[in-house]
Amino acid sequence: MIDVPSIADLNLTVTFPAVFLALFTMVVLIVDLFIPKDRKIRTAHLTLGGLVVAFVWNVLVFDSNQTALGGMYIADSFSGFINFIALTAAIITCFLSVDYLKRTGIEQGEFYSLLLFSTAGVMFMGAASDLIVVFIALEILSIPLYVMAAMRYRDAKSEESGLKYFILGAFASAFFLYGAALVYGATGTTSLPEIFASVEGIVATDSGARLYLVLGAALIFVGLGFKVAVVPFHMWTPDVYEGAPTPVTAFMSVAAKAGGFAALLRLMVIALPELTANIGDTIAIWQTTIAIVAAATMILGNFVAIVQTNVKRMLAYSSIAHAGYILMGVAAVGTIGVAEEATRAALIYMLAYTFTNLGAFAVVMALEKDDGSGTQIADFKGLSRSRPLLAVMMAFFMLSLTGVPTTAGFIGKFLLFGAALEAGLVLLTIIGVLTSVVSAYYYVRIIVNMYLEDGEGDPAEGATQYLNYATYAAFAGTLIIGLFPFLAVNLLDTMMIAGLF
Amino acid sequence: MIPPLWMFLTVAAALFSIGAFGVLARKNAVAVLMSVELMLNAVNINLVAFWRFGETAPSVIGQSFAAFVLVIAAAEAAVGLAIIIAIYRTRQSVVVDDVDMLKW
């Protein structure tokens, strides 16, 4: 017989930040129909209101450490922090979008509903404790992004970016699903804690179940690897990032990545750590695999970024490289005793990256013309003379992406490299440090263009009121994490990250 | 008599491979979309077969997973077709090779 849970068992209170956001999306979708075409800014205000409510609600149930919906949803510090990242990214993206959508002629209320849906998907992804929920969250996160990437329809580039993202995204989902089906076949359950409980027994035997499990885990990694854009599943990233409307690119680069890594960390930490030691006798096979993938991602991302002339494309390759750094944290999770520290490092890195990258895209948007041009690196020439403040902030964001001290990026890299060293991944850490040095070349080139090159300087007419708010917020976030890293670390600690283990 | 589990898994694996090949090799965007559906349906065969042959106590996990896959595949197809139609309107073509403004 199947137990029918009562409403109280569902424990809905702790799911409210995500569930509220999903329901609120419907409200925005309907209310938007009654908002006249020239006042779509009200939809944006409504959206912001909903995001702020979810944000506050999330702070209230932060470290509740409970399961809900019959064990399919975990509200712990980890999901709380992912919610924090997702909502921060969505709020800043909302500010970024308002004027951009208007001046590029794609101001449609649906944009905000799609943004909210995608954010809710990221939040469910962080809280999922069941393969079915991971899959649904993955789709709730991705499907709105396909539409948003193609939002500037009648613009061939945007459509192309939408199609490419859709085909490769659906392809990746199929791989993820095939893997999930095999894991289900091996363990007879889709619940992550139950999978964890049965993995040890399966790995010890030499049965067909073991084959399904290993194959399934590998396919799940492939599927999620596509979503977070790690080598060799990164090919779609530059095209999609370049073609999509810039606020969508900004959101995609941080929120979609956070969601994908949230699921990866959850699966690796909760469900499949036993795959580490037992299969390859003493060597942790998946840890080695992930470490190799991480190294390849860092190397390829950073080196190919050097030759890019378009800033959006350059930031796309830079985001591939950063996925490599976060993957380093995922690899470190595999070493017993370092899991907690590595998870924390990966989360803080993601938060730092969220602020920094959104800020960088905000400045790119300020320079972008209404027709989508003006995103070449050469367009940054002389910006320090035409818009000194904007140039200072852009320089700061670039330094943070490189990982220079006093910026958020430094704190993230410091913690990640520390965790990787402790996990015994010395070679990987060396590659990480060296590729960071390489990355300085293309990040600093933008600073050189802004300060040392001759040029009129772009008037940066895109830097409207709302966009400036977003830039300042991103700048403040980057600066605060950089100067007072213990704020972010304490935030995580008070959320009792230990509850995860 | 019901065939053994491995037969179902073989059929599913074959379907999945055909689908993956289609995504990579077909030129028509609609055919690519159909190939993706093929891959998802291979997953469904797997899920239902594992559910039928599973030793666990009566549960509907495999079936309900398959139902979710069906629903989400439909949602995905809707979005995909919408994007393909939008592309057709601007380029008068649904051949993937024509969609090459952004270099790979």
Side-chain angles (χ1 to χ4, degrees), chain A residues 231-413:
Chain A
V231 175
F233 318 116
H234 66 284
M235 307 81 72
W236 57 274
T237 321
D239 289 358
V240 172
Y241 280 23
E242 186 187 346
T246 317
V248 181
T249 311
F251 183 74
M252 231 179 330
S253 70
V254 294
K257 202 156 277 202
F261 274 112
L264 260 183
L265 283 167
R266 269 253 196 255
L267 283 168
M268 294 311 172
V269 173
I270 294 190
L272 304 166
E274 288 298 323
L275 280 188
T276 41
N278 295 346
I279 287 179
D281 300 329
T282 48
I283 309 165
I285 284 200
W286 77 252
Q287 188 181 38
T288 317
T289 315
I290 293 183
I292 292 171
V293 172
T297 310
M298 291 187 284
I299 293 170
L300 185 130
N302 280 317
F303 277 95
V304 182
I306 290 177
V307 297
Q308 299 303 321
T309 53
N310 181 306
V311 184
K312 278 168 88 176
R313 264 189 111 79
M314 187 207 89
L315 285 172
Y317 279 105
S318 127
S319 93
I320 294 174
H322 284 278
Y325 293 119
I326 303 174
L327 203 62
M328 200 160 137
V330 179
V333 165
T335 306
I336 295 158
V338 192
E340 189 180 334
E341 192 187 337
T343 311
R344 175 198 287 155
L347 285 176
I348 290 187
Y349 194 94
M350 276 194 256
L351 184 67
Y353 182 67
T354 301
F355 280 120
T356 312
N357 217 37
L358 285 174
F361 272 112
V363 179
V364 173
M365 247 176 265
L367 265 67
E368 191 174 337
K369 305 282 176 290
D370 292 357
D371 59 357
S373 66
T375 58
Q376 300 298 314
I377 291 181
D379 292 318
F380 279 82
K381 276 183 187 164
L383 191 70
S384 65
R385 286 177 288 283
S386 59
R387 298 296 295 259
L389 183 61
L390 214 56
V392 167
M393 289 195 286
M394 186 62 173
F396 193 74
F397 293 136
M398 288 299 120
L399 291 177
S400 176
L401 285 173
T402 320
V404 172
T406 76
T407 62
F410 171 72
I411 303 301
K413 278 196 176 139

Side-chain angles (χ1 to χ4, degrees), chain B residues 12 14-16 18-20 33-43:
Chain B
L15 262 187
F16 191 82
I18 295 170
L33 191 62
M34 286 161 66
S35 303
V36 170
E37 298 294 313
L38 214 54
M39 292 170 80
L40 295 176
N41 282 320
V43 173

Side-chain angles (χ1 to χ4, degrees), chain A residues 433-477:
Chain A
V433 173
L434 289 182
T435 52
S436 295
V437 175
V438 172
S439 76
Y441 178 80
Y442 57 89
Y443 290 133
V444 171
R445 197 171 51 177
I446 291 203
I447 303 178
V448 169
N449 265 294
M450 290 191 300
Y451 283 90
L452 302 178
E453 295 275 336
D454 293 331
E456 282 277 297
D458 194 287
E461 280 159 348
T464 51
Q465 192 188 12
Y466 279 94
L467 190 108
N468 281 338
Y469 291 154
T471 324
Y472 298 149
F475 182 67

Side-chain angles (χ1 to χ4, degrees), chain B residues 39-62:
Chain B
M39 292 170 80
L40 295 176
N41 282 320
V43 173
N44 279 345
I45 295 180
N46 253 352
L47 283 170
V48 176
F50 277 131
W51 167 78
R52 177 68 181 75
F53 288 90
E55 291 165 8
T56 41
S59 81
V60 288
I61 296 174

